[in-house]
């Protein structure tokens, strides 16, 4: 809560305190879906929503705080309708506590802080072969295997007759020292959903409890991107 200035008898004033929205947040929306957000130290915001069996959509935007008030704007990508739309949101947050906000489309989100964000990123822990699925804004989920080596190099390939798509890139621990990585991927081939030569940038995180890699990235126009969820 922001402390208002009131001069005390000693002439001092109280400095307003601004809550931090940085971290992983998990909760539910007013539509009954489960949602997870990653808000970075620079306000960049990435998120997924869905249910226990599938991911229904993703969000990307920017978040800022003033006192305990939270506000921001972003784009939502709906994987069911294959549509996207921009919007704004406003609400409240307490540092490593709770978060609540209303989106301009009428959706409400209530969540709590996920302490796995505070685990340090480790390329040694991240390394492995992950099997799961990948999805873009215009294609259905496809079964995919992604390999991450001990240096954070990422590789994956699809071959079906003359149809090919090779993915290569890197995962790099962010300077924040948290359980979040900068992600960059390049797609090459004649059967890449985002087009050959497309580069996406985003974030990735590793869930050590479920041994799951979660990666999200957008193209340079931020009009489409890729989500990968896989386990090892």
């Amino acid at each position: 809560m922001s402390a208002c200035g009131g001069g005390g008898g000693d002439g001092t004033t109280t400095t307003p305190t601004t809550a931090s929205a940085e971290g992983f947040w998990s909760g539910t929306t007013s539509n009954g879906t489960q949602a997870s957000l990653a808000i970075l130290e620079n306000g960049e915001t990435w998120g997924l929503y869905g249910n226990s069996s599938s991911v229904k959509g993703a969000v990307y935007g920017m978040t800022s705080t003033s006192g305990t008030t939270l506000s921001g704007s972003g784009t939502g990508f709906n994987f069911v309708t294959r549509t996207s739309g921009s919007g704004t949101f406003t609400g409240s947050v307490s540092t490593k506590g709770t978060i609540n906000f209303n989106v301009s489309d009428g959706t409400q989100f209530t969540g709590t802080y996920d302490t796995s964000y505070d685990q340090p990123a480790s390329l040694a822990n991240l390394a492995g072969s992950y099997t799961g699925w990948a999805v873009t804004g215009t294609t259905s989920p496809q079964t995919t295997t992604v390999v991450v080596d001990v240096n954070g190099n990422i590789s994956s390939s699809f071959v079906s007759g003359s149809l090919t798509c090779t993915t290569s890139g890197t995962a790099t621990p962010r300077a924040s020292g948290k359980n979040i990585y900068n992600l960059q991927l390049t797609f090459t081939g004649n059967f890449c959903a985002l087009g050959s030569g497309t580069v996406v940038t985003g974030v990735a995180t590793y869930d050590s409890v479920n041994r799951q890699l979660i990666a999200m990235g957008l193209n340079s126009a931020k009009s489409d991107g890729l989500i990968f969820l896989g386990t090892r």
Side-chain angles (χ1 to χ4, degrees):
M1 171 166 41
S2 177
C4 296
D10 57 3
T12 61
T13 59
T14 303
T15 302
T17 300
T18 294
S20 172
E22 181 185 356
F24 293 154
W25 303 90
S26 298
T28 57
T29 72
S30 54
N31 296 327
T33 58
Q34 301 168 6
S36 297
L37 295 177
I39 302 178
L40 309 186
E41 74 286 346
N42 62 359
E44 194 173 6
T45 303
W46 299 82
L48 296 172
Y49 63 89
N51 54 40
S52 58
S53 61
S54 64
V55 174
K56 303 297 185 182
V59 295
Y60 171 80
M62 294 295 296
T63 300
S64 62
T65 56
S66 176
T68 58
T69 299
L70 170 147
S71 61
S73 62
T75 301
F77 300 86
N78 189 313
F79 299 153
V80 177
T81 61
R82 302 296 176 191
T83 59
S84 63
S86 60
T88 59
F89 53 92
T90 184
S92 62
V93 64
S94 59
T95 303
K96 296 186 178 184
T98 59
I99 189 171
N100 303 275
F101 58 79
N102 298 317
V103 185
S104 53
D105 67 359
T107 305
Q108 298 175 330
F109 173 72
T110 300
T112 56
Y113 186 79
D114 182 345
T115 57
S116 67
Y117 180 76
D118 298 315
Q119 300 170 3
S122 166
L123 290 176
N125 291 340
L126 184 68
S129 179
Y130 298 85
T131 299
W133 54 265
V135 63
T136 73
T138 56
T139 60
S140 301
Q142 303 291 325
T143 301
T144 307
T145 297
V146 172
V147 177
V148 184
D149 71 16
V150 293
N151 296 312
N153 296 308
I154 299 171
S155 61
S156 179
S157 64
F158 170 87
V159 179
S160 178
S162 61
L163 304 177
T164 65
C165 185
T166 299
T167 306
S168 60
T170 56
T172 307
R174 290 179 63 85
S176 63
K178 303 298 185 179
N179 184 23
I180 194 86
Y181 303 79
N182 288 326
L183 178 74
Q184 180 171 303
L185 299 173
T186 301
F187 302 93
T188 307
N190 62 6
F191 199 65
C192 297
L194 298 176
S196 186
T198 298
V199 177
V200 303
T201 56
V203 295
T205 185
Y206 177 61
D207 179 347
S208 60
V209 175
N210 296 307
R211 299 173 64 86
Q212 183 180 55
L213 170 65
I214 304 169
M216 304 176 63
L218 289 170
N219 59 17
S220 59
K222 292 183 172 52
S223 59
D224 201 353
L226 176 82
I227 292 173
F228 172 76
L229 280 80
T231 56
R232 61 181 176 92

